[in-house]
């Protein structure tokens, strides 16, 4: 266990790790126990796409489509979403609608 953290760091709930103060509530898991992302204030419009599509909607009048992808199930895109820095997180994939219609 860590007895005390330096002035610019806070202790994780586990008591065995210190992380920079700026790492708290930044949507990245810095504490091994994830406690740096607990009890964070949700800001309207700030969405990670981990649970839903955040009130986004598809525009049918353009050449692009997006879809929410679970990186654990997909063979396309990155191995994890960037918001929670863990495998199995979600992200949005943007593609050209015409290319998908043609089977590209």
């Amino acid at each position: 266990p860590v007895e005390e953290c330096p002035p610019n760091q806070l202790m994780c709930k586990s008591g065995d790790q210190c992380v920079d103060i700026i790492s708290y509530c930044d949507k990245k898991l810095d504490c091994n126990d994830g406690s740096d992302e607990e009890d964070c204030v949700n800001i309207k419009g700030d969405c990670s796409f981990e649970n839903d599509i955040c009130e986004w909607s598809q525009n049918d009048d353009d050449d692009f489509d997006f879809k929410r992808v679970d990186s654990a199930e997909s063979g396309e895109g990155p191995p994890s979403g960037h918001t929670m820095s863990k495998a199995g997180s979600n992200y949005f994939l943007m593609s050209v609608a015409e290319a998908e219609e043609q089977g590209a």
Side-chain angles (χ1 to χ4, degrees), residues 3-25:
E3 290 188 24
E4 191 174 330
C5 296
N8 63 336
Q9 295 187 342
L10 295 172
M11 188 172 302
C12 300
K13 284 185 180 176
S14 63
D16 62 354
Q17 184 183 7
C18 296
V19 297
D20 289 337
I21 290 172
I22 62 171
S23 297
Y24 271 70
C25 295

Side-chain angles (χ1 to χ4, degrees), residues 26-101:
D26 66 351
K27 294 194 177 355
K28 296 178 185 161
L29 298 176
D30 299 292
C31 290
N32 292 334
D33 62 7
S35 61
D36 61 304
E37 297 304 316
E38 293 176 358
D39 303 321
C40 298
V41 175
N42 286 330
I43 300 170
K44 185 173 172 79
D46 184 19
C47 177
S48 68
F49 303 110
E50 293 301 321
N51 300 311
D52 57 32
I53 63 169
C54 306
E55 299 180 24
W56 283 31
S57 62
Q58 195 73 261
N59 183 350
D60 296 328
D61 297 4
D62 63 9
D63 294 332
F64 300 97
D65 287 330
F66 66 84
K67 60 183 175 180
R68 183 173 168 267
V69 179
D70 180 340
S71 60
E73 299 174 5
S74 173
E76 56 190 331
S80 70
H82 72 281
T83 56
M84 294 304 286
S85 302
K86 63 182 178 181
S89 58
N90 301 296
Y91 58 89
F92 263 78
L93 183 65
M94 175 92 52
S95 62
V96 177
E98 185 176 306
E100 282 192 5
E101 290 172 8

